[in-house]
Amino acid sequence: MKILIVDDNSDDRELLRLIIERHGHQVIEACNGQEGLSIAAKQKPNIIISDALMPVMDGFQFLRNTKKDKTLNSIPFIFYSATYKEYQDAELALSLGADAFIIKPKDPAELWKEIEDILKENKSEKPVTAQLIEEDEEYLKRYSEIVAIKLEEKIRELEGEIAARRKTEELIKKSEKKLLDITSSLGEGIYVFDLQGLITFMNPMAERLIGWTMDELNEKGAHNLIHYRKADGTPLPLEECPMHNITKTGNHYISKDEVFIRKDGTVLPISVISTPIIEEGKIIASVTAFRDFTDRRRLEEEREKLILELQDALAKVKTLSGMLPICSSCKKIRDDKGYWNQIESYISENSDVLFSHSLCPDCAEKMLEEIKQMKLKNHPEK
């Protein structure tokens, strides 16, 4: 069996299609009465299920044109509507030849049962009855009354929605102003990313630090302008950016090793904290706070340089401490393995001291006297 669904709401069409196909029937679809009329004329469906309120041609006009067409007027026609649900709506629909007027939403099982009941009642083709409104003037009068009522209801609904929206917008503006006032006094740059990767808020300090405006960053993509490289100068693809991926991973990100590229092309070392914004258990955005880390990084680099210099100096220094066993006669020193070493050998091995041998005045005088005595001994006549 072929069933035509006519509804401007794609979700409602999808639901009906699933219900019908589950019972083994074919579905054809249209999004308004005019399209439905054209499809019905070509494909001759076994039943039509239509919404009432639609653009281009609504359900009542669609029904009236169907019933005026001799090739279509015997096709069962069901209204399935959430907008038209008053008694006079159903009365007009039935008077135009509708087989039923079902109000949305309906339990799928109950809805299909009603459709089946209507199909059973329409197994044999039945002619259009005299109950149909034949006079255009009477039809237009009743149709206009119903449409006027619906328009008044819609206008009241829209006015209520507009008032509620204005109130919400005012609250949002007040909230944004309060947030801007608070963050303007902070020393950190702050911005908020939505799920599409657009910046929805940026405080004045962020703009001062990087030089870009929020609109400029959104136009070309914040990552492409300020965060396309790592601190070591290597490229940082968007898909690898931990700050960009916060809305996907839900993780917090803290780093002191990031850089932003300012508008003037200079590199800004930053410390950064990024965290997801969660509402009702779902991530809706991310917020990032960053601070100019230039001075802090320079101090850290200087400190690391000094530490390296000290380590290098210490590596070159060897010290001797503790009690050393030394011979009172030959002045040899005993090492930790029990061997006796010349004092200069021991000190050279355990420090970076180098010895240059010479004589002190006392030893020099003593040595000269010894030499003189040796000469006298060897040559007494002189």
Side-chain angles (χ1 to χ4, degrees):
M1 184 168 60
K2 190 187 300 180
I3 298 177
L4 171 61
I5 299 172
V6 184
D7 198 320
D8 62 321
N9 188 310
S10 59
D11 291 335
D12 288 349
R13 288 202 311 271
E14 175 71 8
L15 179 60
L16 273 174
R17 185 180 65 79
L18 290 173
I19 294 170
I20 292 166
E21 288 181 345
R22 189 181 300 160
H23 289 84
H25 302 294
Q26 181 185 350
V27 173
I28 47 179
E29 300 180 23
C31 62
N32 59 64
Q34 183 171 303
E35 186 181 359
L37 193 65
S38 174
I39 292 174
K42 293 176 183 177
Q43 301 208 29
K44 301 297 187 299
N46 301 99
I47 188 170
I48 297 172
I49 302 174
S50 175
D51 189 19
L53 186 62
M54 294 180 291
V56 185
M57 179 188 289
D58 71 6
F60 290 108
Q61 293 172 311
F62 175 38
L63 172 60
R64 183 170 175 78
N65 286 319
T66 300
K67 294 304 177 183
K68 278 186 168 184
D69 189 323
K70 292 181 180 180
T71 64
L72 304 175
N73 61 17
S74 63
I75 298 173
F77 195 108
I78 299 173
F79 269 114
Y80 188 49
S81 175
T83 305
Y84 289 84
K85 52 188 178 183
E86 303 297 334
Y87 171 75
Q88 61 268 30
D89 304 336
E91 185 182 36
L92 176 60
L94 295 172
S95 67
L96 288 170
D99 293 86
F101 196 99
I102 304 172
I103 297 173
K104 293 179 184 177
K106 194 83 171 179
D107 178 79
E110 293 179 7
L111 175 62
W112 183 249
K113 186 177 183 307
E114 288 197 37
I115 294 172
E116 281 189 322
D117 291 342
I118 292 164
L119 289 172
K120 288 175 184 176
E121 293 175 5
N122 286 273
K123 287 230 172 171
S124 57
E125 292 188 359
K126 53 182 184 180
V128 181
T129 66
Q131 294 177 348
L132 299 182
I133 300 175
E134 295 293 338
E135 297 295 332
D136 285 343
E137 186 177 342
E138 178 64 17
Y139 160 71
L140 289 172
K141 179 182 175 183
R142 295 179 63 182
Y143 176 71
S144 298
E145 288 174 355
I146 289 176
V147 170
I149 292 170
K150 296 304 171 188
L151 285 174
E152 287 176 4
E153 290 175 356
K154 266 297 181 194
I155 289 170
R156 284 195 295 271
E157 286 178 12
L158 289 172
E159 287 174 345
E161 289 177 5
I162 290 169
R165 185 174 296 175
R166 282 176 179 168
K167 187 176 180 180
T168 302
E169 287 175 354
E170 288 175 5
L171 290 172
I172 291 172
K173 286 180 181 178
K174 288 180 180 178
S175 179
E176 287 179 346
K177 184 179 182 303
K178 186 177 180 180
L179 178 62
L180 189 60
D181 291 342
I182 293 171
T183 58
S184 294
S185 61
L186 297 177
E188 292 87 5
I190 296 174
Y191 61 83
V192 176
F193 265 137
D194 65 13
L195 297 178
Q196 285 71 47
L198 296 175
I199 298 175
T200 58
F201 172 83
M202 189 167 80
N203 74 335
M205 178 55 76
E207 187 173 332
R208 285 197 293 271
L209 286 172
I210 60 178
W212 298 95
T213 66
M214 185 169 73
D215 290 339
E216 288 172 334
L217 293 173
N218 282 335
E219 182 180 352
K220 295 184 179 180
H223 182 86
N224 298 329
L225 292 178
I226 66 172
H227 199 222
Y228 54 85
R229 50 161 284 187
K230 299 177 183 177
D232 62 4
T234 57
L236 177 61
L238 177 64
E239 60 272 13
E240 295 178 15
C241 176
M243 290 185 280
H244 176 78
N245 290 329
I246 292 293
T247 54
K248 298 176 183 176
T249 64
N251 297 329
H252 296 253
Y253 180 69
I254 300 174
S255 176
K256 294 181 180 179
D257 193 31
E258 295 287 343
V259 293
F260 279 166
I261 310 302
R262 294 189 181 99
K263 191 174 183 178
D264 62 8
T266 57
V267 177
L268 174 68
I270 59 169
S271 60
V272 63
I273 299 175
S274 294
T275 184
I277 299 174
I278 300 174
E279 282 188 6
E280 298 179 354
K282 294 182 179 179
I283 297 173
I284 61 167
S286 69
V287 60
T288 296
F290 65 95
R291 180 187 288 269
D292 184 349
F293 207 59
T294 306
D295 293 337
R296 187 81 174 269
R297 179 164 291 177
R298 187 178 65 251
L299 289 173
E300 287 190 352
E301 288 175 353
E302 290 176 356
R303 187 187 68 177
E304 289 176 3
K305 182 180 177 183
L306 179 59
I307 289 171
L308 289 173
E309 289 175 352
L310 288 172
Q311 288 175 341
D312 184 58
L314 287 171
K316 295 177 180 178
V317 174
K318 295 181 180 180
T319 61
L320 296 174
S321 63
M323 184 178 291
L324 292 175
I326 185 168
C327 176
S328 58
S329 176
C330 68
K331 309 302 180 183
K332 288 184 178 181
I333 294 174
R334 189 179 65 196
D335 61 22
D336 53 0
K337 294 180 180 179
Y339 295 104
W340 291 90
N341 302 280
Q342 292 291 338
I343 187 169
E344 58 265 35
S345 299
Y346 183 86
I347 292 174
S348 295
E349 288 176 3
N350 290 277
S351 73
D352 289 329
V353 175
L354 296 176
F355 288 91
S356 64
H357 291 83
S358 64
L359 294 173
C360 70
D362 292 341
C363 290
E365 186 179 348
K366 183 180 178 182
M367 183 173 286
L368 286 171
E369 184 62 31
E370 289 177 353
I371 293 171
K372 186 177 179 182
Q373 292 297 324
M374 288 178 66
K375 284 183 176 181
L376 289 173
K377 185 178 180 180
N378 294 329
H379 304 282
E381 68 283 357
K382 293 184 179 180

